[in-house]
Amino acid sequence: MYVCGPTVYSNVHLGNVRTFMSFDMVFRYLQHLGYKVRYVRNITDAGHLENDADEGEDRISKKARIEEIEPMEVVQRYTVDFHETLEKYNFLPPSIEPTATGHIVEQIEMIKEIMEKGLAYEVNGSVYFDVLKYNEDGHNYGILSGRKMEDAIHNTRALDGQSDKKNPQDFALWKKADERHIMRWPSPWSDGFPGWHLECSVMSTKYLGEQFDIHGGGMDLKFPHHECEIAQSQTCSGHKPVNYWMHANMLLLNSQKMAKSTGNFVLPNEILTGENNILSKAFAPSVVRFFNMQAHYRSILDFSSDALEASEKGYFKLMDAVNSLQNIQTSKTSSVDISSWKQQCYDAMNDDFNTPILIAHLFEAVKIINQLKEQKGKISVDDLAEFAKTINAFVFDILGLTNETKQNSSDKIDGVVELLIKLRKEARDNKDWALSDQIRDELLALGIQLKDGREGTTFSIN
Ligand code: AMP
Ligand code: ZN
């Protein structure tokens, strides 16, 4: 499986995380089924220009210029941020994480190959893929996105005749660097840099072969990025590169796509601290994961604080049930059909990774657990073992949730203070005034003030 990774010129936002989380789930499920998966997710550290259409400044160069640091410092900073973020959200690392700058030689080789096949041309030190010629040769540029040739225009400047391209549908394989452009490499055509689409064709072929199973990315990459990847790879190998294209749909905020460029975004870290004015409070990473998994990866998903709060309730309900599995008493026979429930879970996941349906079945399991706890049903030892194993596999291994019943540290403190209030009441009931005062005074010294009232004792934390 190959998944297009981040362009490391800024912190990843929650929309990016949603896409990567969908593929983390796919990776987890395929491994659970017993597949040996090689999961390649690249880092784009060169070649991604400002407007996705071969124009404008390189995103990383631009950031480096503004901040007056080296481009590779930008790359390092945001690659580290990306890894730290994914770790907090309990991602599995991919098998290989190759970079565009680590594969310049291979990219130059692929350009040469495309030129030899007659499908690329050089103008003023830049090389472009000839989309019209590709189609004349019997291929179908637009096969993935369903775009017609006349709609598949890449270059806005081409419309006013300033482009080197023969046709506005063509896209850059190599760009000559102008004097401002810091990130540059020597090539047969110019000192320059590879086009953005090329790295993924090169790295997917290098690590997964000319034909591989799954290629993923966000829906917004379908065109032009993935369409161009197909054209490049198909030209070199002579066959279609990918068996299954999977596109994760967009995370929305205020009914608009979450995006860095428009300022309409939430950072994954802000969710963990609650430091964003659209959030009512902080949320645990597993709550965010659960929120994402409650939607199918192909559906758009609206982010809001209310939606996260609803997911939090559901998540804790699920965790409470999971944690109480060990307290269930077994019987000689079962009144519940665990194997058909289990099959429904697999059916949901086997139907294009339908996590919302899976979660509905997990809530069925919650219902069953609660009934068993109240002894309104029976379960045998073997069935309980199978039930617990299946629930744990889906909840932790496949959805990637972690068990954070009282994850929120403020919840933990609240729980501890409530416990001390209870112990203090017991001390007072026993007329142990020394202990009761000690609890009150030591809490006060920690900035936690107890207030005794008619309804009992409350507290405030300064
Ligand atoms: P980028 O770093 O811009 O190349 O994006 C990294 C990944 O995040 C790509 O697969 C994008 O399609 C995806 N992505 C960007 N914005 C969103 C969003 N709002 N919701 C879901 N995925 C997104
Ligand atoms: Zn890509």
Side-chain angles (χ1 to χ4, degrees):
M1 173 164 78
Y2 185 93
V3 172
C4 294
T7 306
V8 282
Y9 72 107
S10 65
N11 305 94
V12 280
H13 59 69
L14 200 68
N16 305 133
V17 170
R18 181 192 182 198
T19 288
F20 297 127
M21 203 176 268
S22 296
F23 292 104
D24 183 64
M25 172 273 294
V26 170
F27 182 40
R28 285 166 174 277
Y29 186 56
L30 293 174
Q31 291 193 110
H32 171 80
L33 293 180
Y35 288 102
K36 187 174 167 196
V37 186
R38 182 178 300 159
Y39 174 21
V40 182
R41 188 186 63 211
N42 70 301
I43 295 277
T44 296
D45 57 355
H48 197 172
L49 302 187
E50 271 170 303
N51 70 359
D52 280 6
D54 308 339
E55 291 295 333
E57 212 175 337
D58 180 291
R59 294 178 190 207
I60 288 158
S61 289
K62 184 178 175 185
K63 184 85 170 184
R65 184 172 56 74
I66 292 169
E67 302 229 343
E68 296 185 319
I69 55 177
E70 277 291 314
M72 277 300 140
E73 284 183 89
V74 174
V75 165
Q76 180 72 12
R77 180 192 296 169
Y78 295 110
T79 303
V80 168
D81 169 75
F82 176 60
H83 288 152
E84 284 177 356
T85 301
L86 297 200
E87 205 171 291
K88 282 181 197 153
Y89 282 85
N90 197 33
F91 277 66
L92 297 179
S95 328
I96 306 178
E97 196 172 47
T99 61
T101 57
H103 296 77
I104 300 289
V105 172
E106 291 90 335
Q107 294 187 74
I108 290 172
E109 286 308 306
M110 190 176 240
I111 297 171
K112 284 187 196 159
E113 213 179 321
I114 297 171
M115 289 180 97
E116 276 160 22
K117 300 251 157 85
L119 286 182
Y121 57 90
E122 182 197 341
V123 180
N124 297 329
S126 294
V127 182
Y128 296 97
F129 189 95
D130 192 337
V131 172
L132 293 189
K133 180 103 194 309
Y134 177 71
N135 269 11
E136 280 164 17
D137 284 0
H139 299 300
N140 180 6
Y141 184 82
I143 193 167
L144 185 67
S145 59
R147 294 210 186 199
K148 301 216 166 49
M149 258 324 253
E150 55 274 22
D151 300 329
I153 290 175
H154 288 269
N155 191 342
T156 42
R157 281 200 349 190
L159 298 173
D160 53 32
Q162 290 181 48
S163 175
D164 290 335
K165 295 178 185 179
K166 281 205 275 192
N167 295 292
Q169 288 85 355
D170 296 349
F171 58 90
L173 298 173
W174 188 263
K175 291 276 279 187
K176 181 180 173 178
D178 63 27
E179 64 289 345
R180 270 192 326 165
H181 202 102
I182 331 171
M183 299 175 82
R184 53 171 73 210
W185 293 265
S187 81
W189 315 286
S190 63
D191 272 8
F193 56 95
W196 171 41
H197 315 302
L198 192 62
E199 61 176 276
C200 290
S201 283
V202 162
M203 295 188 280
S204 61
T205 310
K206 176 160 178 172
Y207 297 111
L208 298 169
E210 289 176 355
Q211 210 156 22
F212 57 96
D213 286 314
I214 298 173
H215 191 315
M219 202 72 97
D220 56 345
L221 296 188
K222 214 182 219 186
F223 182 87
H225 187 53
H226 291 160
E227 203 72 73
C228 297
E229 266 189 66
I230 295 175
Q232 294 162 159
S233 297
Q234 169 85 42
T235 299
C236 292
S237 75
H239 44 246
K240 67 171 187 152
V242 174
N243 291 332
Y244 300 97
W245 284 93
M246 291 179 68
H247 291 98
N249 216 328
M250 295 293 108
L251 184 66
L252 308 187
L253 176 63
N254 303 317
S255 313
Q256 304 277 326
K257 177 187 165 186
M258 209 180 263
K260 258 294 161 76
S261 54
T262 55
N264 187 47
F265 65 87
V266 176
L267 295 177
N269 262 337
E270 293 170 343
I271 296 183
L272 308 183
T273 60
E275 284 163 11
N276 183 299
N277 52 19
I278 68 150
L279 294 166
S280 60
K281 61 186 190 97
F283 293 92
S286 277
V287 170
V288 178
R289 206 175 240 277
F290 191 66
F291 162 73
N292 275 312
M293 294 297 139
Q294 281 179 301
H296 190 255
Y297 76 89
R298 275 192 288 108
S299 307
I300 53 167
L301 175 60
D302 267 301
F303 178 86
S304 71
S305 198
D306 287 350
L308 273 190
E309 279 186 41
S311 295
E312 188 177 52
K313 284 203 183 90
Y315 165 76
F316 283 132
K317 197 169 150 191
L318 182 59
M319 286 307 127
D320 284 346
V322 170
N323 291 329
S324 63
L325 270 168
Q326 63 209 35
N327 303 326
I328 287 175
Q329 311 226 326
T330 51
S331 310
K332 283 216 171 68
T333 55
S334 293
S335 62
V336 283
D337 185 352
I338 298 303
S339 67
S340 82
W341 168 83
K342 177 177 163 183
Q343 190 54 48
Q344 287 175 332
C345 292
Y346 281 98
D347 289 348
M349 288 300 285
N350 293 345
D351 184 10
D352 197 11
F353 307 89
N354 202 326
T355 54
I357 302 283
L358 167 70
I359 289 172
H361 293 309
L362 291 175
F363 279 119
E364 271 305 308
V366 171
K367 225 191 267 170
I368 295 171
I369 292 168
N370 290 335
Q371 283 168 355
L372 290 169
K373 270 191 337 199
E374 291 166 20
Q375 295 181 344
K376 287 186 184 148
K378 289 187 293 182
I379 191 161
S380 69
V381 177
D382 288 352
D383 276 351
L384 181 60
E386 190 63 15
F387 194 32
K389 190 172 143 206
T390 311
I391 290 174
N392 282 316
F394 278 107
V395 169
F396 301 116
D397 302 346
I398 295 162
L399 294 181
L401 300 173
T402 51
N403 198 340
E404 301 171 82
T405 326
K406 290 270 188 287
Q407 204 280 335
N408 218 315
S409 62
S410 70
D411 286 351
K412 280 187 192 153
I413 291 174
D414 289 359
V416 171
V417 177
E418 294 291 354
L419 175 67
L420 286 166
I421 289 174
K422 217 166 96 190
L423 294 174
R424 178 167 166 265
K425 183 170 181 305
E426 282 173 24
R428 283 158 67 117
D429 290 347
N430 296 332
K431 302 209 178 348
D432 186 350
W433 310 116
L435 180 59
S436 125
D437 287 352
Q438 187 190 357
I439 292 173
R440 186 197 56 206
D441 294 346
E442 289 194 14
L443 281 175
L444 190 62
L446 293 169
I448 300 168
Q449 189 173 18
L450 302 188
K451 287 180 211 120
D452 296 316
R454 258 190 234 142
E455 308 286 305
T457 304
T458 55
F459 68 94
S460 59
I461 302 179
N462 301 323

